[in-house]
């Protein structure tokens, strides 16, 4: 989940970060109702620890290890999150595959929520090629919102090269309905 400085911007009439946090928590409430089999999730964020002026391209953190949904613990982690830094998407995806490797779940799916491309001069599309060579096969679905046209190709590439889907939300309503899917 993108917590870069740009997430302090407005989408519709709401701060992007507030919109994402509220929608994510609502989604977790819905998923927690699924019992057979219970939904397993993990939450990794990027851009949350250091201000953009520090140019920290290793600013990615697992805030909820892959596990069954425990709403109080997820809320405890999500509520205080702040948007501050860079968008080290490639680094975050590398770390997410390590998270998945530790998980007993069979489905290896990453959902990338972002409002822009990697800002750390790394190529996530090249990483997808590396994964293929290494035999890593996570599916990455990308939900991009309030995205510039120049950022779209690199994010679309991530989804396409992993068999995932790319969703583009231009409004807060589109973002909510996309996450509901």
């Amino acid at each position: 989940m993108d917590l870069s400085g740009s997430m302090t911007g407005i989408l519709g009439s709401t701060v992007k970060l507030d919109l994402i946090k509220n929608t994510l928590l609502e989604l977790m409430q819905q998923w927690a109702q699924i019992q057979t089999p219970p939904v397993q999730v993990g939450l990794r964020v990027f851009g949350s620890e250091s201000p953009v002026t520090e140019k920290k391209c290793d600013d990615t953190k697992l805030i909820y290890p892959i596990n069954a949904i425990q709403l109080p613990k997820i809320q405890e982690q999500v509520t205080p999150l702040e948007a501050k830094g860079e968008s080290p998407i490639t680094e975050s995806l590398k770390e997410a595959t390590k998270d998945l490797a530790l998980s007993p779940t069979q489905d290896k799916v990453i959902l990338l929520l972002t409002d822009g491309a990697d800002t750390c001069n790394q190529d996530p599309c090249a990483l997808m090629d590396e994964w293929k060579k290494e035999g890593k096969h996570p599916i990455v679905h990308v939900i991009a919102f309030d995205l510039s046209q120049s950022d779209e190709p690199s994010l679309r590439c991530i989804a396409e090269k992993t068999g995932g889907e790319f969703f583009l939300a231009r409004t807060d309503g589109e973002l909510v309905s996309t996450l509901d899917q």
Side-chain angles (χ1 to χ4, degrees):
M1 183 167 98
D2 188 346
L3 295 177
S4 64
S6 62
M7 292 294 290
T8 60
I10 305 293
L11 182 62
S13 60
T14 308
V15 174
K16 289 188 253 184
L17 178 59
D18 293 340
L19 179 63
I20 284 292
K21 288 185 339 184
N22 293 336
T23 305
L24 183 66
L25 290 173
E26 288 174 19
L27 183 63
M28 291 296 153
Q29 286 177 332
Q30 292 172 19
W31 286 355
Q33 303 304 312
I34 300 170
Q35 297 297 317
T36 312
V39 176
Q40 301 272 314
V41 299
L43 292 174
R44 175 170 286 283
V45 297
F46 56 88
S48 66
E49 299 299 304
S50 302
V52 71
T53 54
E54 292 183 18
K55 302 269 186 206
K56 294 272 186 157
C57 288
D58 61 351
D59 185 355
T60 179
K61 179 179 173 183
L62 182 65
I63 62 169
Y64 186 80
I66 298 171
N67 202 337
I69 295 173
Q70 298 173 14
L71 284 172
K73 288 185 179 184
I74 291 174
Q75 288 172 322
E76 182 181 296
Q77 294 300 314
V78 170
T79 301
L81 292 173
E82 295 181 32
K84 296 180 183 179
E86 293 289 336
S87 295
I89 291 173
T90 306
E91 186 63 29
S92 193
L93 288 169
K94 287 177 185 176
E95 293 301 315
T97 59
K98 293 176 187 175
D99 303 337
L100 288 171
L102 297 174
S103 168
T105 61
Q106 291 183 349
D107 294 332
K108 306 293 185 189
V109 178
I110 297 169
L111 178 60
L112 172 61
L113 302 168
T114 186
D115 71 343
D118 189 300
T119 58
C120 290
N121 297 318
Q122 294 187 25
D123 182 358
C125 212
L127 176 63
M128 302 305 102
D129 291 333
E130 285 178 36
W131 283 359
K132 189 173 184 176
K133 289 177 189 172
E134 295 171 3
K136 295 179 182 173
H137 301 289
I139 295 168
V140 183
H141 299 298
V142 179
I143 298 178
F145 53 97
D146 198 29
L147 189 67
S148 71
Q149 280 187 323
S150 61
D151 288 346
E152 186 175 331
S154 68
L155 295 172
R156 186 176 290 279
C157 176
I158 294 167
E160 288 173 353
K161 288 197 173 196
T162 63
E165 293 188 54
F166 176 84
F167 301 95
L168 182 58
R170 295 263 180 229
T171 66
D172 53 351
E174 287 178 3
L175 178 60
V176 170
S177 67
T178 300
L179 282 168
D180 279 342
Q181 293 179 20

